[in-house]
Amino acid sequence: MAREKSRKLLTESPLLDRHPGVRRMAVAAYPLFQAALDALAWALSIWLAVAIRLNIDIPDIDKKNLVKFIPIAVGVQISIGLIIGLYRRRWRYGSFEEAAALAIAAVTATAVLYVVDRNFLHPRLAPLSAVIVGGFVGLTATGAIRYAWRLGVDRLRRPSGPGVVRTLVFGAGDGGVQVINAMLSTPNSPYLPVGIIDDDPTKRRLAIRGVAVLGGKADLAAIALRVDAEVLLVAIPSANSDLIAELTDASTACGLSLRVLPPVDELFDHAPGVADIRPLTETDLLGRHQISTDIASISGYLTGKRVLVTGAGGSIGSELCRQLHRLAPAELMMLDRDESALHQVQLSIEGKALLDTPNVILADLRDEQRIIEIFNDRRPQVVFHAAALKHLPLLEQYPHEAYKSNVIGSLNVLEAARATGVERFVNISTDKAANPCSVLGYSKRLAERLTAHVAERASGTYLSVRFGNVIGSRGSVLHTFRQQIEDGGPITVTDPNVTRFFMTIPEAVQLVIQAGAIGDDGEVLILDMGKPVRIDDVARRLASQSKRPIKIVYTGLRPGEKLDEELLGDDEVDVRPKHPLISHAPVPALDPADVVGVENPDVHWMAAMCSVDLPTR
């Protein structure tokens, strides 16, 4: 209770809030208070030093001379402190910077007093040895005052109260140090660190602000019980999805709620703080990949160029537009047939969405004449073709729609690009095109082959980029899981053994842009998506974070679905000549005459058009 009153006096004083003049007076008086404490410390230090010099024989102390010398010593110390800024609030009280200034002031004051007492005071007012000892004792005393003051202030700032949860911090590195400092320096923080978990044996005796390393992952259950912890915070911004998944399982077994810090690229240029701590997301479980990008090669083919993105309002297309915008193209043209989607992407990039500027283009890829007009009029130099129908079960019902959008729509864009001399064309494909067995996979494989055909005849570079599921895309399984959990369950999973590749949208787009810089004519570039993930494991981990019990129901694989997705076809070799996360594979060309005007483009026709032998390398 007394502690809470003290905290309010320091941080919530009504007198200071209602009377700014009083606040200004308090701020102005603070340096005087510092100086008074230092004066008292030096007075006692000089007296103690003289007593030590005389073997603590108090009667032998020349009190008259000492009474004269102490004001001189105090005056010299305060004067030097004023000169170097010790009493002008240049540093945080009790900080290392202030400690350094304090040492400089003490050494300088001691030297001045030594010279004055030795050469200008007759008789000497204090023994010379006592002057030197007094200086060191004075430095120690003033430093101790500041240290004690800072400990007291830090103690008052520690989070407390009924809403504060006892938190174990995983990671004693820079992220752990910064977030522990933030938690202990934020009075309204909901987290109180009570221990640190770290597997590094060299850190086993480490303590950060009084919070000790208590053991490693294997000791989590025992440590959580010992310190009565409620939350496990993963304080490693660079933690990959494997580590997050492992700690999710461990924390669930111990009855701890898991919290994480965002990945490094989300922290930008600030140190992690209390506001950055958040619950586990699907991205944390699936999508933390370390992506290295060659900015120089990317800028070379995009900066100052006219760039067109089809499907600009979609999940991939909109992120493409946002990342391309940062690379300063001469013009960024965003094409989509969905006006609401165009509104959203323009708003996310420009902060406004009046839809009255030439950079938003409303058009349907199926309209061949309209696409030709756009390319003739706007003359894009680089094209990212992200427009497509992508929902596998729906396309199984309506293969004609996949044919019209994913095959003929892609061909319309390819031919318009070839006719207008586009320098670089990047077709966004999918892992469903590797050994395809669905309408979606067949249609996207045909788009890859049409791209390879145009590559043989166009003056620019035409290539495809293939990757798996992206976290956060509209209609993804993870969106479904989240909604099902919010509704109280059950979560529906097709098969307990089904696996999928996952990557976040920004990471996938970053690699797509990089692939556009390094790909050669007619290739398909395959992005490394990491290890495939069991969907059942993801569902269970997400369900474990819910406060309510969530049931999982298995519905069986749907037509066209694979148990395990593939990124490379059977005849494609994993060759990575230019980037460690991007494979290159040749694609057999397909003559557009073979796909135009088909009356019944059903799944059997598409399968037949895809089943050709790949050329040898």
Side-chain angles (χ1 to χ4, degrees):
M1 195 65 170
R3 176 183 171 191
E4 193 61 33
K5 289 181 179 178
S6 299
R7 185 201 305 276
K8 290 184 177 180
L9 284 173
L10 284 174
T11 62
E12 303 176 8
S13 172
L15 178 65
L16 295 182
D17 289 337
R18 289 196 298 266
H19 301 284
V22 175
R23 180 182 291 276
R24 286 194 294 271
M25 289 176 60
V27 171
Y30 187 68
L32 298 178
F33 178 68
Q34 277 188 301
L37 284 178
D38 286 354
L40 179 61
W42 270 80
L44 294 175
S45 298
I46 294 296
W47 184 89
L48 180 61
V50 172
I52 292 173
R53 171 66 177 79
L54 299 175
N55 297 320
I56 317 298
D57 193 349
I58 304 300
D60 286 348
I61 296 176
D62 189 338
K63 298 181 180 58
K64 290 183 179 180
N65 285 342
L66 193 57
V67 167
K68 294 177 183 178
F69 186 72
I70 286 176
I72 296 173
V74 169
V76 170
Q77 161 65 20
I78 299 301
S79 298
I80 293 173
L82 287 170
I83 292 170
I84 68 172
L86 197 56
Y87 306 116
R88 287 185 288 169
R89 298 182 62 83
R90 290 181 59 186
W91 305 283
R92 181 188 172 197
Y93 197 67
S95 66
F96 289 115
E97 293 83 358
E98 188 183 44
L102 196 65
I104 293 171
V107 170
T108 306
T110 301
V112 170
L113 288 172
Y114 184 90
V115 171
V116 169
D117 193 40
R118 184 174 186 274
N119 300 319
F120 299 101
L121 298 179
H122 302 288
R124 292 175 183 158
L125 300 180
L128 291 176
S129 58
V131 173
I132 297 173
V133 173
F136 284 105
V137 175
L139 172 60
T140 303
T142 52
I145 289 171
R146 282 160 172 77
Y147 181 71
W149 180 275
R150 181 168 176 175
L151 281 181
V153 170
D154 287 347
R155 188 71 180 173
L156 289 173
R157 286 177 173 169
R158 288 172 68 91
S160 64
V164 173
V165 293
R166 298 173 65 81
T167 302
L168 281 172
V169 177
F170 184 85
D174 291 340
V177 171
Q178 291 165 344
V179 78
I180 288 173
N181 281 327
M183 286 191 285
L184 293 179
S185 302
T186 307
N188 59 352
S189 167
Y191 305 101
L192 175 66
V194 294
I196 303 171
I197 306 291
D198 200 294
D199 285 333
D200 186 348
T202 64
K203 296 178 179 177
R204 287 301 167 87
R205 299 183 182 275
L206 179 67
I208 301 169
R209 294 282 295 274
V211 183
V213 174
L214 303 177
K217 285 197 300 285
D219 311 310
L220 179 60
I223 293 171
L225 186 63
R226 187 191 347 154
V227 300
D228 193 24
E230 303 166 73
V231 167
L232 176 65
L233 168 62
V234 183
I236 306 176
S238 60
N240 59 33
S241 52
D242 291 338
L243 177 59
I244 296 291
E246 181 183 358
L247 292 175
T248 301
D249 294 341
S251 62
T252 300
C254 299
L256 299 173
S257 297
L258 192 72
R259 296 291 184 270
V260 296
L261 291 178
V264 174
D265 56 356
E266 291 183 27
L267 291 171
F268 297 107
D269 58 352
H270 72 277
V274 174
D276 295 307
I277 299 172
R278 58 170 172 75
L280 187 73
T281 67
E282 299 92 335
T283 301
D284 300 316
L285 277 174
L286 302 174
R288 289 192 171 194
H289 301 85
Q290 300 300 312
I291 307 297
S292 60
T293 305
D294 184 355
I295 298 299
S297 67
I298 286 176
S299 301
Y301 86 100
L302 291 171
T303 302
K305 298 296 180 69
R306 297 183 302 277
V307 181
L308 171 68
V309 178
T310 71
S315 303
I316 297 296
S318 59
E319 180 62 25
L320 256 172
C321 291
R322 284 186 286 271
Q323 292 199 25
L324 291 170
H325 177 71
R326 301 186 194 114
L327 296 170
E331 184 180 9
L332 177 59
M333 294 165 272
M334 300 177 288
L335 186 151
D336 205 292
R337 67 176 181 178
D338 185 340
E339 57 183 342
S340 297
L342 285 174
H343 179 277
Q344 288 298 317
V345 67
Q346 187 181 46
L347 182 64
S348 70
I349 291 174
E350 301 176 9
K352 58 182 180 180
L354 301 178
L355 297 178
D356 59 355
T357 52
N359 65 333
V360 288
I361 303 172
L362 187 63
D364 192 331
L365 302 186
R366 299 178 178 187
D367 187 341
E368 179 183 7
Q369 190 57 42
R370 173 68 175 138
I371 296 301
I372 291 173
E373 290 173 358
I374 291 169
F375 273 74
N376 283 332
D377 179 46
R378 306 300 293 273
R379 295 284 170 172
Q381 296 167 285
V382 180
V383 173
F384 288 91
H385 176 44
L389 297 179
K390 66 174 185 177
H391 288 284
L392 187 149
L394 201 59
L395 296 184
E396 289 295 311
Q397 294 186 67
Y398 306 105
H400 284 75
E401 297 304 310
Y403 167 77
K404 286 186 280 188
S405 288
N406 296 356
V407 180
I408 299 303
S410 296
L411 179 59
N412 291 340
V413 178
L414 283 163
E415 291 293 355
R418 182 190 61 79
T420 53
V422 166
E423 298 173 8
R424 189 163 287 263
F425 187 102
V426 180
N427 168 49
I428 307 298
S429 189
T430 171
D431 58 352
K432 309 296 187 294
N435 297 327
C437 65
S438 64
V439 170
L440 172 58
Y442 293 138
S443 64
K444 295 299 286 183
R445 179 58 175 171
L446 293 178
E448 290 181 359
R449 295 190 60 196
L450 290 170
T451 302
H453 173 85
V454 175
E456 294 176 351
R457 290 156 178 79
S459 58
T461 301
Y462 288 66
L463 59 110
S464 297
V465 178
R466 184 192 299 165
F467 53 89
N469 299 275
V470 287
I471 303 167
S473 61
R474 289 185 297 188
S476 71
V477 65
L478 299 179
H479 277 180
T480 303
F481 285 173
R482 187 186 305 125
Q483 185 61 54
Q484 290 174 334
I485 290 171
E486 289 177 0
D487 294 340
I491 294 177
T492 54
V493 178
T494 54
D495 188 283
N497 295 313
V498 70
T499 65
R500 292 292 182 265
F501 293 98
F502 285 98
M503 183 177 282
T504 66
I505 293 175
E507 290 165 344
V509 167
Q510 196 174 342
L511 282 177
V512 165
I513 297 174
Q514 178 72 71
I518 64 177
D520 294 327
D521 254 348
E523 289 185 323
V524 59
L525 277 67
I526 302 103
L527 308 188
D528 186 337
M529 304 287 292
K531 298 178 182 177
V533 177
R534 289 180 74 242
I535 298 299
D536 189 48
D537 291 342
V538 176
R540 292 185 180 280
R541 287 182 181 122
L542 291 175
S544 71
Q545 300 297 307
S546 175
K547 295 180 181 178
R548 295 178 291 179
I550 302 294
K551 187 178 179 181
I552 295 178
V553 175
Y554 301 105
T555 59
L557 290 174
R558 295 169 294 185
E561 281 191 318
K562 297 178 182 179
L563 191 64
D564 302 301
E565 288 291 3
E566 305 159 277
L567 289 168
L568 287 162
D570 289 340
D571 296 316
E572 293 174 339
V573 181
D574 189 354
V575 178
R576 308 185 185 197
K578 299 180 181 179
H579 192 284
L581 295 179
I582 302 176
S583 303
H584 297 239
V587 177
L590 176 64
D591 193 327
D594 294 332
V595 301
V596 174
V598 179
E599 292 184 4
N600 184 30
D602 60 11
V603 61
H604 302 293
W605 174 82
M606 291 187 187
M609 297 303 296
C610 290
S611 59
V612 298
D613 294 331
L614 286 169
T616 57
R617 281 188 173 275

